[in-house]
Amino acid sequence: MLNLVLAAMERLALTVIVGGGVVMAAGVRPLLLSILAKPEQPVLAETVEGLSINAWNRYNRFALWAAIVVAVVDLVRIVTGLAFSWWHVGLILTIFVALLGKLSIDQTLKTRLQDAGAEAVGSAEQRAGHRRVEFLSVVILVLAVLLVILPF
């Protein structure tokens, strides 16, 4: 019974990570990028950039909590002697670290936007930060999908 409850908790948490990441990457980001592609209105671009950063930041926090839930489930499995695998623990810890990295980069992007305003939108530093976040997002999604499809 405990194993079923733990498996359900793990699946729900992994669904938050994978599903939220897909929605953000496929739905929210393209919509906001299309608005940012028109730089003739700097105030609108600054607002949309702020919305984008805040939306990703909110998802990253939810995903971080979901990763913590999966890590706790793995810890309970280890402590109770239920079936577990070290690669599963390693993947969820890697996702946890990547999410912490994303949150750190998001904070930098947000601070730069608050300090520089519309000039930060499209700047080399801002683009580099977004590329790092995109890379970490892909890594997180791939690892989370592996956790979903491969048994523990």
Side-chain angles (χ1 to χ4, degrees):
M1 179 67 178
L2 178 62
N3 204 21
L4 289 175
V5 171
L6 293 175
M9 289 174 57
E10 176 187 66
R11 294 295 173 215
L12 179 62
L14 289 172
T15 300
V16 168
I17 295 171
V18 173
V22 169
V23 167
M24 291 297 294
V28 176
R29 182 153 173 78
L31 173 67
L32 296 177
L33 280 179
S34 66
I35 296 170
L36 285 174
K38 302 172 186 129
E40 60 263 354
Q41 296 180 359
V43 174
L44 178 63
E46 180 182 346
T47 303
V48 170
E49 175 78 3
L51 286 172
S52 175
I53 292 169
N54 287 333
W56 273 103
N57 201 354
R58 181 163 290 148
Y59 159 72
N60 292 334
R61 284 193 308 265
F62 280 124
L64 184 67
W65 280 108
I68 291 170
V69 167
V70 176
V72 168
V73 165
D74 282 341
L75 182 64
V76 169
R77 283 183 178 137
I78 291 169
V79 169
T80 59
L82 295 173
F84 76 96
S85 60
W86 287 109
W87 66 266
H88 193 274
V89 175
L91 288 182
I92 198 61
L93 291 178
T94 303
I95 290 172
F96 180 79
V97 170
L99 284 164
L100 287 177
K102 282 180 69 175
L103 285 168
S104 173
I105 294 168
D106 280 347
Q107 185 59 42
T108 304
L109 292 171
K110 190 174 184 176
T111 301
R112 188 177 301 113
L113 183 64
Q114 289 172 346
D115 292 345
E119 293 85 32
V121 178
S123 69
E125 296 88 5
Q126 206 76 348
R127 284 192 315 269
H130 283 296
R131 280 192 305 274
R132 287 192 305 269
V133 167
E134 290 167 3
F135 172 75
L136 289 174
S137 295
V138 169
V139 169
I140 290 166
L141 280 175
V142 168
L143 295 178
V145 167
L146 285 174
L147 289 174
V148 168
I149 62 174
L150 297 176
F152 55 88

